[in-house]
Amino acid sequence: MNGDTPKSIVHPTDLSFASQDAFAHALRIAVACKSMLHILHIEAPETEEDDWDRFPQVREMLARWKMISPTATRAEAAEQLGVKIVKASVESESAVVGVTAYVERHLCDLLVMMTRPRSALERLLASSVAEETARETHVPALFLREDQKGFVDRETGAVSLNTVLMPVEATVSPLAAFRHVAAVAHCLNPAADVMLLHVGEDLPLFEGLLPHIELRRGPVVETILAYAQEIKADMIAMPTRGRKGLLEALRGSTTQRVLHEAPCPLLASPVK
């Protein structure tokens, strides 16, 4: 297995029906990459009892995808698919603090989260829980919005990840991010194409071997979104400057603005 693929995926869930699409993406990536998948729910202290029946039903979904027999046990499913599933319920006053502590404790290397579409005023006043969590954990994070189409069909498990757009800029070395993005994409679809874009007057010079970089001029966010529509991108991958740059506290970063308006899921990939 490629060293750049995720080994330990966390899907924080509020147990709502709306989060099922993010769960389906997390599960499908875990199966493709043979990763461990943690399904994590943060609950307020002194909650009476864990409602495990409300957790996403892993074997039910895998059986619907025809990946396992409907009668397969948990152990049989794990052995057949090479995936270990952990369901965890953690008490915390704050969802962000709870998820961050769990991610650090279990050395998780990919977050898969649902984020809600919000108004411009709401975005100005506060980051979403998903965005704050990504910023605090400093691991790659795949964001899905309720109002956009993902690249995993929740009912069949079919993957439609053919084209990934990765914008690059002079201040963030893209090679490590490109390897990570390509590894995840090629787990799901070996023929997936990762297309690079730079928005500016001239192409910057980067160390290492990279594919062709498309050069476009114009406003950065609008040009990225227009090019994503043009090439029918199924995912946008944004290399970000580590803890400082990942959905930075300063509202209106490029990654954050693209996330709120992208026509497809967004993978934020911190660069060390």
Side-chain angles (χ1 to χ4, degrees):
M1 186 62 64
N2 190 307
D4 289 309
T5 56
K7 303 294 186 296
S8 183
I9 300 169
V10 177
H11 166 54
T13 177
D14 60 3
L15 306 180
S16 68
F17 182 77
S19 67
Q20 283 284 314
D21 273 330
F23 163 61
H25 281 69
L27 180 60
R28 191 66 186 83
I29 295 169
V31 170
C33 298
K34 298 192 181 305
S35 311
M36 178 177 283
L37 174 59
H38 303 258
I39 304 168
L40 175 64
H41 176 58
I42 304 298
E43 61 184 22
E46 301 176 4
T47 302
E48 287 188 8
E49 58 181 292
D50 296 323
D51 190 354
W52 297 107
D53 290 339
R54 292 181 60 209
F55 269 69
Q57 300 302 304
V58 176
R59 279 176 289 162
E60 181 182 294
M61 184 167 278
L62 291 171
R64 195 162 69 238
W65 292 353
K66 297 182 168 47
M67 289 185 173
I68 61 169
S69 162
T71 58
T73 64
R74 184 181 292 109
E76 288 169 344
E79 183 178 357
Q80 183 178 337
L81 297 176
V83 176
K84 184 177 180 182
I85 308 293
V86 175
K87 294 182 179 180
S89 184
V90 174
E91 285 190 3
S92 177
E93 296 282 2
S94 158
V96 173
V97 171
V99 175
T100 301
Y102 189 93
V103 166
E104 291 175 351
R105 187 164 62 249
H106 294 275
L107 303 177
C108 301
D109 52 7
L110 179 66
L111 280 159
V112 180
M113 299 184 286
M114 180 65 75
T115 183
R116 311 284 188 249
R118 294 176 300 140
S119 71
L121 179 60
E122 287 173 321
R123 295 199 298 267
L124 182 66
L125 293 174
S127 295
S128 72
V129 170
E131 291 167 40
E132 292 285 356
T133 302
R135 181 163 59 246
E136 291 301 319
T137 57
H138 191 226
V139 300
L142 177 65
F143 296 95
L144 294 101
R145 282 201 328 268
E146 288 181 25
D147 59 339
Q148 69 188 183
K149 184 177 182 294
F151 52 81
V152 173
D153 187 300
R154 189 172 69 204
E155 295 304 316
T156 67
V159 175
S160 55
L161 185 65
N162 300 310
T163 305
V164 179
L165 170 60
M166 190 176 114
V168 297
E169 57 164 308
T171 60
V172 182
S173 176
L175 189 57
F178 174 76
R179 287 174 177 157
H180 174 257
V181 169
V184 173
H186 292 156
C187 256
L188 292 160
N189 176 13
D193 192 10
V194 181
M195 301 180 68
L196 305 187
L197 168 72
H198 176 69
V199 182
E201 291 300 315
D202 301 291
L203 278 179
L205 295 175
F206 295 111
E207 292 183 1
L209 291 174
L210 290 165
H212 167 75
I213 302 175
E214 179 76 10
L215 177 65
R216 294 289 172 99
R217 295 174 177 84
V220 175
V221 172
E222 291 78 1
T223 304
I224 291 171
L225 295 171
Y227 192 61
Q229 295 277 14
E230 181 182 325
I231 64 174
K232 296 180 171 60
D234 302 299
M235 181 172 76
I236 297 175
M238 300 286 291
T240 57
R241 286 185 295 277
R243 191 176 291 276
K244 183 179 178 183
L246 180 55
L247 301 165
E248 57 210 7
L250 177 64
R251 309 293 185 236
S253 70
T254 299
T255 299
Q256 196 176 41
R257 290 177 61 203
V258 172
L259 168 63
H260 294 153
E261 300 177 44
C264 55
L266 182 141
L267 175 64
S269 185
V271 175
K272 293 184 177 62

